[in-house]
Short mmCIF file of all heavy atoms in Angstrom, two decimals:
data_model
loop_
_atom_site.label_atom_id
_atom_site.label_comp_id
_atom_site.label_asym_id
_atom_site.label_seq_id
_atom_site.Cartn_x
_atom_site.Cartn_y
_atom_site.Cartn_z
N LEU A 26 48.34 -18.54 -6.86
CA LEU A 26 49.10 -17.40 -6.43
C LEU A 26 50.02 -17.75 -5.31
O LEU A 26 49.71 -18.56 -4.47
CB LEU A 26 48.16 -16.29 -5.97
CG LEU A 26 47.21 -15.59 -6.94
CD1 LEU A 26 46.40 -14.51 -6.24
CD2 LEU A 26 47.94 -15.08 -8.16
N ILE A 27 51.20 -17.13 -5.35
CA ILE A 27 52.18 -17.35 -4.28
C ILE A 27 52.58 -15.89 -3.82
O ILE A 27 53.08 -15.12 -4.60
CB ILE A 27 53.48 -18.07 -4.76
CG1 ILE A 27 53.04 -19.48 -5.27
CG2 ILE A 27 54.49 -18.18 -3.64
CD1 ILE A 27 54.21 -20.22 -5.94
N ALA A 28 52.23 -15.56 -2.58
CA ALA A 28 52.71 -14.30 -1.98
C ALA A 28 54.08 -14.64 -1.30
O ALA A 28 54.24 -15.40 -0.38
CB ALA A 28 51.71 -13.91 -0.97
N LEU A 29 55.11 -13.97 -1.89
CA LEU A 29 56.49 -14.18 -1.48
C LEU A 29 56.92 -13.07 -0.58
O LEU A 29 57.07 -11.97 -0.95
CB LEU A 29 57.43 -14.32 -2.70
CG LEU A 29 58.89 -14.59 -2.37
CD1 LEU A 29 59.07 -15.88 -1.60
CD2 LEU A 29 59.69 -14.60 -3.72
N ASP A 30 57.15 -13.39 0.72
CA ASP A 30 57.58 -12.44 1.70
C ASP A 30 56.82 -11.13 1.61
O ASP A 30 57.35 -10.05 1.33
CB ASP A 30 59.08 -12.19 1.56
CG ASP A 30 59.65 -11.39 2.74
OD1 ASP A 30 59.03 -11.20 3.74
OD2 ASP A 30 60.86 -10.98 2.54
N PRO A 31 55.48 -11.17 1.82
CA PRO A 31 54.65 -9.99 1.59
C PRO A 31 54.81 -8.90 2.74
O PRO A 31 54.13 -8.92 3.71
CB PRO A 31 53.22 -10.53 1.64
CG PRO A 31 53.31 -11.76 2.49
CD PRO A 31 54.71 -12.31 2.26
N GLY A 32 55.78 -8.02 2.51
CA GLY A 32 56.09 -7.03 3.52
C GLY A 32 55.55 -5.64 3.33
O GLY A 32 55.70 -4.78 4.15
N HIS A 33 54.79 -5.45 2.22
CA HIS A 33 54.19 -4.17 1.92
C HIS A 33 52.73 -4.44 1.77
O HIS A 33 52.31 -5.46 1.16
CB HIS A 33 54.79 -3.58 0.69
CG HIS A 33 54.46 -2.12 0.45
ND1 HIS A 33 53.28 -1.74 0.00
CD2 HIS A 33 55.17 -0.96 0.62
CE1 HIS A 33 53.23 -0.45 -0.07
NE2 HIS A 33 54.41 0.06 0.24
N PHE A 34 51.87 -3.46 2.16
CA PHE A 34 50.44 -3.64 2.04
C PHE A 34 49.92 -3.81 0.60
O PHE A 34 48.85 -4.24 0.37
CB PHE A 34 49.69 -2.52 2.83
CG PHE A 34 49.70 -1.15 2.12
CD1 PHE A 34 48.62 -0.76 1.34
CD2 PHE A 34 50.80 -0.29 2.28
CE1 PHE A 34 48.57 0.50 0.73
CE2 PHE A 34 50.76 0.96 1.70
CZ PHE A 34 49.67 1.33 0.90
N HIS A 35 50.73 -3.41 -0.41
CA HIS A 35 50.30 -3.66 -1.77
C HIS A 35 50.20 -5.14 -2.06
O HIS A 35 49.35 -5.49 -2.98
CB HIS A 35 51.36 -3.04 -2.71
CG HIS A 35 51.30 -1.53 -2.76
ND1 HIS A 35 52.22 -0.78 -3.48
CD2 HIS A 35 50.47 -0.64 -2.14
CE1 HIS A 35 51.95 0.52 -3.33
NE2 HIS A 35 50.89 0.62 -2.56
N ALA A 36 50.89 -5.98 -1.40
CA ALA A 36 50.71 -7.44 -1.61
C ALA A 36 49.28 -7.88 -1.33
O ALA A 36 48.75 -8.79 -1.99
CB ALA A 36 51.73 -8.18 -0.75
N SER A 37 48.69 -7.34 -0.28
CA SER A 37 47.34 -7.77 0.03
C SER A 37 46.34 -7.12 -0.84
O SER A 37 45.21 -7.65 -1.00
CB SER A 37 47.07 -7.46 1.52
OG SER A 37 47.22 -6.07 1.83
N LEU A 38 46.66 -5.96 -1.43
CA LEU A 38 45.60 -5.23 -2.22
C LEU A 38 45.26 -6.02 -3.47
O LEU A 38 44.17 -5.85 -4.01
CB LEU A 38 46.12 -3.84 -2.63
CG LEU A 38 46.13 -2.86 -1.44
CD1 LEU A 38 46.69 -1.53 -1.90
CD2 LEU A 38 44.79 -2.65 -0.78
N VAL A 39 46.14 -6.86 -4.04
CA VAL A 39 45.71 -7.65 -5.20
C VAL A 39 44.79 -8.82 -4.81
O VAL A 39 44.24 -9.45 -5.62
CB VAL A 39 46.98 -8.27 -5.95
CG1 VAL A 39 47.88 -7.18 -6.37
CG2 VAL A 39 47.68 -9.32 -5.06
N MET A 40 44.59 -9.02 -3.51
CA MET A 40 43.68 -10.02 -2.96
C MET A 40 42.26 -9.54 -2.72
O MET A 40 41.53 -10.23 -2.09
CB MET A 40 44.28 -10.68 -1.72
CG MET A 40 45.74 -11.15 -1.89
SD MET A 40 45.97 -12.42 -3.06
CE MET A 40 45.42 -13.87 -2.11
N ALA A 51 45.81 -19.89 -1.92
CA ALA A 51 47.04 -19.13 -2.20
C ALA A 51 48.18 -19.60 -1.29
O ALA A 51 47.85 -19.84 -0.13
CB ALA A 51 46.82 -17.70 -2.07
N GLN A 52 49.33 -19.72 -1.82
CA GLN A 52 50.53 -20.05 -1.03
C GLN A 52 51.14 -18.80 -0.46
O GLN A 52 51.28 -17.76 -1.18
CB GLN A 52 51.49 -20.84 -1.93
CG GLN A 52 52.64 -21.54 -1.19
CD GLN A 52 52.24 -22.86 -0.69
OE1 GLN A 52 51.29 -23.46 -1.19
NE2 GLN A 52 52.95 -23.36 0.31
N VAL A 53 51.53 -18.86 0.75
CA VAL A 53 52.25 -17.75 1.42
C VAL A 53 53.60 -18.28 1.94
O VAL A 53 53.59 -19.09 2.80
CB VAL A 53 51.48 -17.10 2.56
CG1 VAL A 53 52.21 -15.87 3.15
CG2 VAL A 53 50.11 -16.71 2.00
N LEU A 54 54.69 -17.70 1.40
CA LEU A 54 56.04 -18.13 1.78
C LEU A 54 56.75 -16.96 2.29
O LEU A 54 56.93 -15.96 1.61
CB LEU A 54 56.81 -18.73 0.59
CG LEU A 54 56.09 -19.93 -0.17
CD1 LEU A 54 56.88 -20.23 -1.41
CD2 LEU A 54 55.93 -21.08 0.78
N ALA A 55 57.16 -17.00 3.56
CA ALA A 55 57.84 -15.77 4.17
C ALA A 55 58.63 -16.18 5.43
O ALA A 55 58.37 -17.29 5.97
CB ALA A 55 56.68 -14.81 4.58
N GLY A 58 57.60 -13.11 11.23
CA GLY A 58 57.69 -11.73 11.55
C GLY A 58 56.32 -11.09 11.45
O GLY A 58 55.34 -11.68 10.98
N PRO A 59 56.19 -9.83 11.90
CA PRO A 59 54.94 -9.15 11.90
C PRO A 59 54.34 -8.83 10.51
O PRO A 59 53.16 -8.71 10.33
CB PRO A 59 55.18 -7.80 12.65
CG PRO A 59 56.71 -7.64 12.49
CD PRO A 59 57.28 -8.95 12.49
N GLU A 60 55.26 -8.72 9.47
CA GLU A 60 54.74 -8.29 8.12
C GLU A 60 53.86 -9.42 7.54
O GLU A 60 52.79 -9.08 7.00
CB GLU A 60 55.95 -8.06 7.29
CG GLU A 60 56.76 -6.82 7.74
CD GLU A 60 58.17 -6.80 7.20
OE1 GLU A 60 58.42 -7.50 6.18
OE2 GLU A 60 58.97 -6.11 7.80
N VAL A 61 54.23 -10.65 7.63
CA VAL A 61 53.41 -11.69 7.11
C VAL A 61 52.09 -11.81 7.88
O VAL A 61 51.05 -12.08 7.34
CB VAL A 61 54.20 -13.05 7.06
CG1 VAL A 61 54.47 -13.56 8.40
CG2 VAL A 61 53.33 -14.06 6.22
N GLU A 62 52.10 -11.57 9.19
CA GLU A 62 50.89 -11.57 10.00
C GLU A 62 49.96 -10.48 9.58
O GLU A 62 48.74 -10.75 9.52
CB GLU A 62 51.29 -11.48 11.53
CG GLU A 62 52.21 -12.57 11.99
CD GLU A 62 51.68 -13.99 11.77
OE1 GLU A 62 50.46 -14.16 11.73
OE2 GLU A 62 52.49 -14.91 11.63
N GLN A 63 50.48 -9.37 9.26
CA GLN A 63 49.70 -8.24 8.83
C GLN A 63 48.99 -8.56 7.47
O GLN A 63 47.85 -8.30 7.26
CB GLN A 63 50.46 -6.93 8.75
CG GLN A 63 50.87 -6.37 10.03
CD GLN A 63 51.91 -5.27 9.94
OE1 GLN A 63 52.13 -4.72 8.83
NE2 GLN A 63 52.52 -4.96 11.05
N TYR A 64 49.75 -9.18 6.58
CA TYR A 64 49.26 -9.59 5.27
C TYR A 64 48.09 -10.55 5.47
O TYR A 64 47.01 -10.38 4.87
CB TYR A 64 50.38 -10.21 4.48
CG TYR A 64 49.88 -10.96 3.26
CD1 TYR A 64 49.68 -10.21 2.10
CD2 TYR A 64 49.64 -12.33 3.26
CE1 TYR A 64 49.23 -10.90 0.87
CE2 TYR A 64 49.25 -13.00 2.10
CZ TYR A 64 49.01 -12.27 0.93
OH TYR A 64 48.56 -12.92 -0.17
N LEU A 65 48.26 -11.55 6.30
CA LEU A 65 47.23 -12.59 6.50
C LEU A 65 46.02 -11.96 7.10
O LEU A 65 44.85 -12.38 6.75
CB LEU A 65 47.78 -13.67 7.36
CG LEU A 65 48.86 -14.55 6.78
CD1 LEU A 65 49.48 -15.48 7.81
CD2 LEU A 65 48.34 -15.34 5.57
N ALA A 66 46.16 -11.01 8.03
CA ALA A 66 45.01 -10.37 8.68
C ALA A 66 44.23 -9.60 7.65
O ALA A 66 42.95 -9.56 7.73
CB ALA A 66 45.53 -9.44 9.79
N VAL A 67 44.87 -8.92 6.66
CA VAL A 67 44.18 -8.12 5.70
C VAL A 67 43.43 -9.08 4.75
O VAL A 67 42.22 -8.82 4.41
CB VAL A 67 45.09 -7.24 4.92
CG1 VAL A 67 44.38 -6.52 3.69
CG2 VAL A 67 45.71 -6.18 5.78
N VAL A 68 44.03 -10.18 4.33
CA VAL A 68 43.35 -11.13 3.49
C VAL A 68 42.08 -11.71 4.21
O VAL A 68 41.02 -11.90 3.56
CB VAL A 68 44.34 -12.27 3.05
CG1 VAL A 68 43.57 -13.37 2.29
CG2 VAL A 68 45.43 -11.77 2.18
N ASP A 69 42.25 -11.97 5.47
CA ASP A 69 41.08 -12.47 6.23
C ASP A 69 40.06 -11.48 6.30
O ASP A 69 38.80 -11.83 6.21
CB ASP A 69 41.56 -12.86 7.64
CG ASP A 69 40.45 -13.51 8.46
OD1 ASP A 69 39.96 -14.54 8.01
OD2 ASP A 69 40.06 -12.91 9.47
N ARG A 70 40.35 -10.12 6.43
CA ARG A 70 39.35 -9.09 6.43
C ARG A 70 38.48 -9.12 5.13
O ARG A 70 37.33 -8.86 5.05
CB ARG A 70 39.94 -7.71 6.64
CG ARG A 70 40.40 -7.45 8.07
CD ARG A 70 40.38 -5.99 8.49
NE ARG A 70 41.27 -5.19 7.69
CZ ARG A 70 42.55 -5.05 8.00
NH1 ARG A 70 43.10 -5.54 9.08
NH2 ARG A 70 43.29 -4.33 7.23
N TYR A 71 39.25 -9.20 3.98
CA TYR A 71 38.56 -9.31 2.66
C TYR A 71 37.56 -10.52 2.68
O TYR A 71 36.50 -10.43 2.08
CB TYR A 71 39.52 -9.53 1.55
CG TYR A 71 40.44 -8.28 1.32
CD1 TYR A 71 41.76 -8.41 0.94
CD2 TYR A 71 39.96 -6.99 1.51
CE1 TYR A 71 42.57 -7.34 0.69
CE2 TYR A 71 40.72 -5.94 1.37
CZ TYR A 71 42.05 -6.04 0.90
OH TYR A 71 42.86 -5.00 0.73
N TRP A 81 39.37 -16.56 -0.19
CA TRP A 81 40.81 -17.09 -0.21
C TRP A 81 41.08 -18.04 0.92
O TRP A 81 40.59 -17.82 2.01
CB TRP A 81 41.77 -15.93 -0.16
CG TRP A 81 41.75 -15.01 -1.28
CD1 TRP A 81 41.32 -13.71 -1.28
CD2 TRP A 81 42.18 -15.24 -2.61
NE1 TRP A 81 41.44 -13.11 -2.53
CE2 TRP A 81 42.00 -14.08 -3.42
CE3 TRP A 81 42.71 -16.36 -3.27
CZ2 TRP A 81 42.25 -13.89 -4.77
CZ3 TRP A 81 43.09 -16.21 -4.62
CH2 TRP A 81 42.84 -15.03 -5.32
N GLN A 82 41.77 -19.07 0.59
CA GLN A 82 42.33 -19.91 1.63
C GLN A 82 43.85 -19.79 1.48
O GLN A 82 44.44 -19.74 0.43
CB GLN A 82 41.98 -21.43 1.40
CG GLN A 82 40.45 -21.67 1.44
CD GLN A 82 40.10 -22.99 1.06
OE1 GLN A 82 40.58 -24.06 1.70
NE2 GLN A 82 39.31 -23.22 -0.02
N THR A 83 44.57 -19.77 2.58
CA THR A 83 46.02 -19.59 2.52
C THR A 83 46.70 -20.79 3.12
O THR A 83 46.41 -21.28 4.25
CB THR A 83 46.49 -18.29 3.31
OG1 THR A 83 45.92 -18.33 4.61
CG2 THR A 83 46.02 -17.11 2.56
N VAL A 85 50.24 -21.47 4.49
CA VAL A 85 51.34 -20.66 4.89
C VAL A 85 52.53 -21.42 5.44
O VAL A 85 52.38 -22.34 6.19
CB VAL A 85 50.80 -19.75 6.09
CG1 VAL A 85 51.84 -18.75 6.49
CG2 VAL A 85 49.55 -18.92 5.70
N VAL A 105 53.55 -13.03 -6.44
CA VAL A 105 53.33 -11.63 -6.16
C VAL A 105 54.36 -11.18 -5.17
O VAL A 105 54.57 -11.75 -4.17
CB VAL A 105 51.92 -11.41 -5.56
CG1 VAL A 105 51.70 -9.94 -5.23
CG2 VAL A 105 50.86 -11.89 -6.53
N ALA A 107 55.90 -7.90 -3.12
CA ALA A 107 55.70 -6.61 -2.62
C ALA A 107 56.26 -6.54 -1.19
O ALA A 107 55.62 -7.07 -0.29
CB ALA A 107 54.25 -6.11 -2.66
#
Side-chain angles (χ1 to χ4, degrees):
L26 292 183
I27 301 173
L29 180 60
D30 190 9
H33 192 284
F34 73 99
H35 286 177
S37 58
L38 288 178
V39 301
M40 309 295 282
Q52 192 83 21
V53 183
L54 305 174
E60 295 159 20
V61 66
E62 301 302 332
Q63 291 169 14
Y64 168 83
L65 293 170
V67 173
V68 173
D69 186 60
R70 285 206 300 271
Y71 293 145
W81 295 109
Q82 302 173 56
T83 52
V85 184
V105 177

